[in-house]
CSV table of all heavy atoms in Angstrom, one decimal:
chain,number,residue,atom,x,y,z
B,43,GLY,N,308.5,85.9,183.8
B,43,GLY,CA,309.6,86.6,183.5
B,43,GLY,C,309.5,88.1,184.0
B,43,GLY,O,310.5,88.8,183.9
B,44,MET,N,308.4,88.5,184.4
B,44,MET,CA,308.2,89.9,184.7
B,44,MET,C,309.0,90.3,186.0
B,44,MET,O,309.4,91.4,186.1
B,44,MET,CB,306.6,90.3,184.8
B,44,MET,CG,306.1,90.3,183.4
B,44,MET,SD,304.3,90.7,183.4
B,44,MET,CE,304.3,92.4,183.8
B,45,LEU,N,309.0,89.4,186.9
B,45,LEU,CA,309.8,89.7,188.2
B,45,LEU,C,311.3,89.9,187.8
B,45,LEU,O,311.9,90.9,188.3
B,45,LEU,CB,309.7,88.5,189.1
B,45,LEU,CG,310.5,88.6,190.4
B,45,LEU,CD1,310.1,89.8,191.2
B,45,LEU,CD2,310.5,87.3,191.2
B,46,ASP,N,311.8,89.2,186.9
B,46,ASP,CA,313.2,89.3,186.5
B,46,ASP,C,313.4,90.8,185.9
B,46,ASP,O,314.4,91.4,186.1
B,46,ASP,CB,313.6,88.3,185.5
B,46,ASP,CG,313.7,86.9,186.1
B,46,ASP,OD1,313.9,86.9,187.4
B,46,ASP,OD2,313.7,85.9,185.4
B,47,GLN,N,312.4,91.1,185.1
B,47,GLN,CA,312.5,92.4,184.4
B,47,GLN,C,312.3,93.6,185.4
B,47,GLN,O,313.0,94.6,185.3
B,47,GLN,CB,311.6,92.5,183.2
B,47,GLN,CG,311.7,93.9,182.5
B,47,GLN,CD,310.9,94.0,181.2
B,47,GLN,OE1,310.3,93.0,180.8
B,47,GLN,NE2,310.8,95.2,180.7
B,48,PHE,N,311.3,93.5,186.2
B,48,PHE,CA,310.9,94.7,187.0
B,48,PHE,C,311.2,94.6,188.5
B,48,PHE,O,311.1,95.6,189.2
B,48,PHE,CB,309.4,94.9,186.8
B,48,PHE,CG,308.9,95.3,185.4
B,48,PHE,CD1,308.3,94.3,184.6
B,48,PHE,CD2,309.3,96.5,184.8
B,48,PHE,CE1,308.0,94.7,183.3
B,48,PHE,CE2,308.9,96.9,183.6
B,48,PHE,CZ,308.2,95.8,182.7
B,49,GLY,N,311.6,93.5,188.9
B,49,GLY,CA,311.9,93.4,190.4
B,49,GLY,C,310.7,93.4,191.3
B,49,GLY,O,309.6,93.6,190.9
B,50,PRO,N,311.0,93.0,192.6
B,50,PRO,CA,309.9,92.8,193.5
B,50,PRO,C,309.2,94.0,194.0
B,50,PRO,O,308.1,93.9,194.5
B,50,PRO,CB,310.7,92.1,194.7
B,50,PRO,CG,312.1,92.6,194.6
B,50,PRO,CD,312.3,92.7,193.1
B,51,LYS,N,309.7,95.1,193.7
B,51,LYS,CA,308.9,96.3,194.1
B,51,LYS,C,307.6,96.4,193.3
B,51,LYS,O,306.7,97.0,193.7
B,51,LYS,CB,309.8,97.6,193.9
B,51,LYS,CG,309.0,98.9,194.3
B,51,LYS,CD,309.8,100.1,193.9
B,51,LYS,CE,308.9,101.4,194.0
B,51,LYS,NZ,309.6,102.6,193.7
B,52,ARG,N,307.8,96.0,191.9
B,52,ARG,CA,306.7,96.3,191.0
B,52,ARG,C,305.9,95.0,190.6
B,52,ARG,O,304.9,95.1,190.0
B,52,ARG,CB,307.2,97.0,189.8
B,52,ARG,CG,307.7,98.4,190.1
B,52,ARG,CD,308.2,99.1,188.9
B,52,ARG,NE,307.2,99.5,188.1
B,52,ARG,CZ,307.4,99.9,186.8
B,52,ARG,NH1,308.6,100.0,186.3
B,52,ARG,NH2,306.4,100.3,186.0
B,53,ILE,N,306.5,93.8,190.9
B,53,ILE,CA,305.8,92.5,190.6
B,53,ILE,C,305.7,91.9,192.1
B,53,ILE,O,306.7,91.4,192.6
B,53,ILE,CB,306.6,91.6,189.7
B,53,ILE,CG1,307.0,92.4,188.4
B,53,ILE,CG2,305.8,90.4,189.4
B,53,ILE,CD1,305.7,92.8,187.5
B,54,ILE,N,304.5,91.9,192.6
B,54,ILE,CA,304.4,91.8,194.0
B,54,ILE,C,303.5,90.5,194.4
B,54,ILE,O,302.3,90.5,194.0
B,54,ILE,CB,303.7,93.0,194.7
B,54,ILE,CG1,304.5,94.3,194.3
B,54,ILE,CG2,303.6,92.9,196.1
B,54,ILE,CD1,303.8,95.6,194.5
B,55,ASP,N,304.1,89.6,195.0
B,55,ASP,CA,303.4,88.4,195.5
B,55,ASP,C,302.6,88.8,196.7
B,55,ASP,O,303.0,89.5,197.5
B,55,ASP,CB,304.4,87.3,195.8
B,55,ASP,CG,304.8,86.4,194.7
B,55,ASP,OD1,304.0,86.3,193.8
B,55,ASP,OD2,305.9,85.9,194.7
B,56,THR,N,301.4,88.1,196.8
B,56,THR,CA,300.5,88.4,198.0
B,56,THR,C,300.2,87.1,198.7
B,56,THR,O,300.3,86.0,198.0
B,56,THR,CB,299.2,89.0,197.6
B,56,THR,OG1,298.5,88.0,196.8
B,56,THR,CG2,299.3,90.2,196.7
B,57,PRO,N,299.9,87.2,200.0
B,57,PRO,CA,299.2,86.1,200.6
B,57,PRO,C,297.8,85.9,200.0
B,57,PRO,O,297.3,86.7,199.1
B,57,PRO,CB,299.1,86.5,202.1
B,57,PRO,CG,299.4,87.9,202.1
B,57,PRO,CD,300.0,88.4,200.8
B,58,ILE,N,297.1,84.9,200.3
B,58,ILE,CA,295.8,84.6,199.8
B,58,ILE,C,294.8,85.5,200.6
B,58,ILE,O,294.2,85.1,201.6
B,58,ILE,CB,295.4,83.1,199.9
B,58,ILE,CG1,296.4,82.3,199.2
B,58,ILE,CG2,294.1,82.8,199.3
B,58,ILE,CD1,296.4,80.9,199.5
B,59,SER,N,294.7,86.7,200.1
B,59,SER,CA,293.9,87.8,200.8
B,59,SER,C,293.3,88.7,199.7
B,59,SER,O,293.7,89.9,199.7
B,59,SER,CB,294.8,88.6,201.8
B,59,SER,OG,295.5,87.8,202.7
B,60,GLU,N,292.4,88.2,199.1
B,60,GLU,CA,291.8,89.0,197.9
B,60,GLU,C,291.3,90.3,198.4
B,60,GLU,O,291.5,91.4,197.7
B,60,GLU,CB,290.8,88.2,197.2
B,60,GLU,CG,291.3,87.1,196.2
B,60,GLU,CD,291.6,85.9,196.9
B,60,GLU,OE1,291.4,85.7,198.1
B,60,GLU,OE2,292.1,84.9,196.2
B,61,SER,N,290.6,90.3,199.5
B,61,SER,CA,290.0,91.6,200.0
B,61,SER,C,291.1,92.6,200.4
B,61,SER,O,291.1,93.7,200.1
B,61,SER,CB,289.1,91.3,201.2
B,61,SER,OG,288.8,92.4,202.0
B,62,GLY,N,292.2,92.0,200.9
B,62,GLY,CA,293.3,92.8,201.4
B,62,GLY,C,294.1,93.5,200.2
B,62,GLY,O,294.2,94.7,200.2
B,63,PHE,N,294.4,92.6,199.3
B,63,PHE,CA,295.3,93.2,198.3
B,63,PHE,C,294.4,94.0,197.2
B,63,PHE,O,295.0,95.0,196.6
B,63,PHE,CB,296.3,92.3,197.6
B,63,PHE,CG,295.7,91.1,196.9
B,63,PHE,CD1,295.2,91.2,195.5
B,63,PHE,CD2,295.7,89.8,197.4
B,63,PHE,CE1,294.8,90.1,194.8
B,63,PHE,CE2,295.2,88.6,196.7
B,63,PHE,CZ,294.8,88.8,195.4
B,64,ALA,N,293.1,93.6,197.0
B,64,ALA,CA,292.3,94.5,196.2
B,64,ALA,C,292.1,95.9,196.8
B,64,ALA,O,292.3,96.9,196.2
B,64,ALA,CB,291.0,93.8,196.0
B,65,GLY,N,291.8,95.8,198.2
B,65,GLY,CA,291.6,97.1,198.9
B,65,GLY,C,292.8,97.9,199.0
B,65,GLY,O,292.8,99.2,198.7
B,66,LEU,N,294.0,97.3,199.3
B,66,LEU,CA,295.3,98.0,199.3
B,66,LEU,C,295.5,98.7,198.0
B,66,LEU,O,296.0,99.9,198.0
B,66,LEU,CB,296.4,97.0,199.6
B,66,LEU,CG,297.8,97.5,199.7
B,66,LEU,CD1,298.6,96.8,200.7
B,66,LEU,CD2,298.5,97.4,198.3
B,67,SER,N,295.2,98.0,196.9
B,67,SER,CA,295.6,98.7,195.6
B,67,SER,C,294.6,99.8,195.2
B,67,SER,O,294.9,100.7,194.5
B,67,SER,CB,295.5,97.5,194.5
B,67,SER,OG,296.7,96.7,194.7
B,68,ILE,N,293.3,99.7,195.7
B,68,ILE,CA,292.4,100.7,195.6
B,68,ILE,C,292.9,102.0,196.3
B,68,ILE,O,292.9,103.1,195.7
B,68,ILE,CB,290.9,100.4,196.1
B,68,ILE,CG1,290.3,99.3,195.2
B,68,ILE,CG2,290.1,101.6,196.2
B,68,ILE,CD1,289.1,98.6,195.7
B,69,GLY,N,293.4,101.8,197.5
B,69,GLY,CA,294.0,102.9,198.2
B,69,GLY,C,295.2,103.5,197.5
B,69,GLY,O,295.4,104.7,197.4
B,70,ALA,N,296.1,102.6,196.9
B,70,ALA,CA,297.3,103.0,196.1
B,70,ALA,C,296.8,103.8,194.9
B,70,ALA,O,297.5,104.8,194.6
B,70,ALA,CB,298.1,101.9,195.8
B,71,ALA,N,295.8,103.3,194.3
B,71,ALA,CA,295.3,104.1,193.1
B,71,ALA,C,294.7,105.5,193.4
B,71,ALA,O,294.9,106.4,192.7
B,71,ALA,CB,294.2,103.2,192.4
B,72,MET,N,294.1,105.5,194.6
B,72,MET,CA,293.6,106.9,195.0
B,72,MET,C,294.8,107.9,195.2
B,72,MET,O,294.6,109.1,195.1
B,72,MET,CB,292.8,106.8,196.3
B,72,MET,CG,291.4,106.2,196.1
B,72,MET,SD,290.6,105.6,197.7
B,72,MET,CE,290.4,107.1,198.5
B,73,MET,N,295.9,107.3,195.5
B,73,MET,CA,297.1,108.2,195.7
B,73,MET,C,297.9,108.3,194.4
B,73,MET,O,299.1,108.8,194.4
B,73,MET,CB,298.0,107.6,196.8
B,73,MET,CG,297.3,107.3,198.1
B,73,MET,SD,296.5,108.8,198.8
B,73,MET,CE,298.0,109.8,199.2
B,74,GLY,N,297.4,107.9,193.3
B,74,GLY,CA,298.0,108.1,192.0
B,74,GLY,C,298.8,107.0,191.4
B,74,GLY,O,299.3,107.2,190.3
B,75,LEU,N,298.9,105.8,192.1
B,75,LEU,CA,299.5,104.7,191.4
B,75,LEU,C,298.5,104.1,190.5
B,75,LEU,O,297.3,104.4,190.5
B,75,LEU,CB,300.0,103.7,192.4
B,75,LEU,CG,301.1,104.3,193.4
B,75,LEU,CD1,301.6,103.1,194.3
B,75,LEU,CD2,302.3,104.9,192.7
B,76,ARG,N,299.0,103.2,189.6
B,76,ARG,CA,298.0,102.5,188.6
B,76,ARG,C,298.3,101.0,188.7
B,76,ARG,O,298.9,100.3,187.9
B,76,ARG,CB,298.4,103.0,187.2
B,76,ARG,CG,298.3,104.5,187.1
B,76,ARG,CD,298.6,105.0,185.6
B,76,ARG,NE,297.3,105.0,184.9
B,76,ARG,CZ,296.4,106.0,184.9
B,76,ARG,NH1,296.6,107.1,185.6
B,76,ARG,NH2,295.3,105.8,184.2
B,77,PRO,N,297.6,100.4,189.7
B,77,PRO,CA,297.8,98.9,190.0
B,77,PRO,C,297.1,98.1,188.9
B,77,PRO,O,296.1,98.5,188.4
B,77,PRO,CB,297.2,98.8,191.4
B,77,PRO,CG,296.8,100.1,191.9
B,77,PRO,CD,296.7,101.0,190.7
B,78,ILE,N,297.8,96.9,188.7
B,78,ILE,CA,297.2,95.9,188.0
B,78,ILE,C,297.0,94.8,189.0
B,78,ILE,O,298.0,94.3,189.5
B,78,ILE,CB,298.0,95.3,186.7
B,78,ILE,CG1,298.3,96.5,185.8
B,78,ILE,CG2,297.2,94.2,186.1
B,78,ILE,CD1,299.4,96.0,184.8
B,79,VAL,N,295.7,94.4,189.4
B,79,VAL,CA,295.5,93.4,190.4
B,79,VAL,C,295.1,92.1,189.7
B,79,VAL,O,294.1,92.1,189.0
B,79,VAL,CB,294.4,93.9,191.3
B,79,VAL,CG1,294.1,92.8,192.3
B,79,VAL,CG2,294.8,95.2,192.0
Side-chain angles (χ1 to χ4, degrees):
Chain B
M44 290 180 71
L45 175 63
D46 291 340
Q47 182 178 351
F48 296 105
K51 180 186 170 186
R52 299 180 67 194
I53 307 294
I54 306 163
D55 275 330
T56 68
I58 303 169
S59 303
E60 284 83 2
S61 167
F63 65 79
L66 177 145
S67 292
I68 290 166
M72 284 165 69
M73 305 304 291
L75 299 185
R76 306 184 83 85
I78 306 168
V79 179

